[in-house]
Amino acid sequence: MNWNLLRTFVVLAESGSITEAAERLRLKQPSVSVALKKLEDRLGQRLIDRSPGRFALTEAGQLLYGEAVNINGSILRLATLMRDVTPDISGHVRIAVASHVICPLFDEVIGDFYAAHPQASLSIDVITSMDAIAAVAAKRVSFALALVRNQDPNLRYIPMYREVFGLFCGPRHPLFGREDLTLDDLKGHGAVVFDNDRLQDALQDVTLLRARAALAPQVTGVSENLEEVRRMIMSGLGIGPLPKHVVARDLRDGLLWQVPPLEDLPEVDVYLIWNPATVRNRAEDKLLQSLIERLETTPFSDRTYA
C-alpha cells in the first residue's frame, strides 16, 4: 500500500473538499483527485461520495479513515523516536490545551521537567477541547489538557483540576459596580458565550447558568478562546461566563465585575488525556509520568480553584 495515497486520503477526509485538501497538501487539485482514484481502484471500494453538492465518506471510507489516522500518527512519530536515541533526555513534547487552561500545578511540573532535562523541548498548541482530544486519538500530540463531555474508551483520562464559573460584566456595562444586584436585574441583557457553551457540550452547566440569569436569547459575542470572551465582556458587549480563578486579578484591578448568581455556581473539570497506544519518546514519557504522579499525590481539593 502506497502510504502517500493513505496520507492524502486522511487529509481529504478531514478537509471536506478537494480544494481545501489540495491547499493543505500544497498540491494541485487534479493530483489530489488522481490520488483518490488510485486508492479507490486499489481497494476496489468507493471511499468518498462526491455527488453534486455532497462530499462525504462512504462506509468503506469511514473504516479506512479510522485505521489510516492511527497509521499516520505512528509514522509521523518515527523521526521523533529516532532522534531521541541519546544518553540524555532530549526529545520534543507536543501538548494540546484548551484556551482556558490555567493550572499552577501544571506550570510547576513543566518547570521542574525542564530544569531536570534542559535539552528537551516543548510546544503547546492552544485549540478547542474537541480538536485537542482528536489530536490525542490520532497520535499527533503527546497528551492534552481539555474539557471532556464523553470519554473515548480508547483514551485515558485523569481530572487535572476543577474550575468554578461565574458571570461577569465589564466597566462599560450598566450593571458594572452595582452591589445590590439580583437575578432579576440580569434579565434581557445581551450574552457573550464560549463557542462550546451548549447543552450537549462540556460547558452545559455554564449554559444552564446563563438560563438561570434569563439573559437575552440573542448572543452579542462568541469565541472558542477564553481571552477573546474576556475581551468582549470587558468591552461591554454583554454578560458572560469566565472561570473565577482565571479572572481574580481582573476583579481586583476593576476590569471585571461579578454579577449574580454568586452561589451554586457550575463546576467544570479539566482533564489530562493521553493515548495508551501512542509510542512516546523518553521526554514525552517522562513529562506525562511526572504529571500523573503529581496528580496522584495532590488531593483534588488542592486542585479545585473556587
Side-chain angles (χ1 to χ4, degrees), residues 141-220:
V141 297
S142 312
F143 56 85
L145 306 180
L147 301 178
V148 175
R149 175 62 174 147
N150 297 304
Q151 295 192 7
D152 183 338
N154 295 315
L155 304 181
R156 299 294 178 267
Y157 303 80
I158 295 180
M160 186 83 179
Y161 68 94
R162 176 169 292 169
E163 56 189 4
V164 178
F165 276 77
L167 292 177
F168 300 88
C169 65
R172 294 189 176 188
H173 197 276
L175 299 184
F176 186 86
R178 287 184 51 184
E179 298 182 352
D180 58 342
L181 295 174
T182 66
L183 272 177
D184 288 339
D185 294 311
L186 274 64
K187 288 181 180 179
H189 284 280
V192 177
V193 304
F194 287 94
D195 189 48
N196 60 341
D197 180 351
R198 295 180 291 267
L199 280 175
Q200 69 271 30
D201 283 327
L203 289 180
Q204 64 170 349
D205 289 342
V206 176
T207 305
L208 295 174
L209 175 65
R210 289 196 294 109
R212 284 171 59 190
L215 297 175
Q218 71 269 21
V219 171
T220 53

Side-chain angles (χ1 to χ4, degrees), residues 18-20 22-23 27-35:
I18 295 287
T19 302
E20 184 178 339
E23 291 176 354
L27 296 173
K28 301 289 186 181
Q29 291 184 37
S31 299
V32 176
S33 297
V34 168

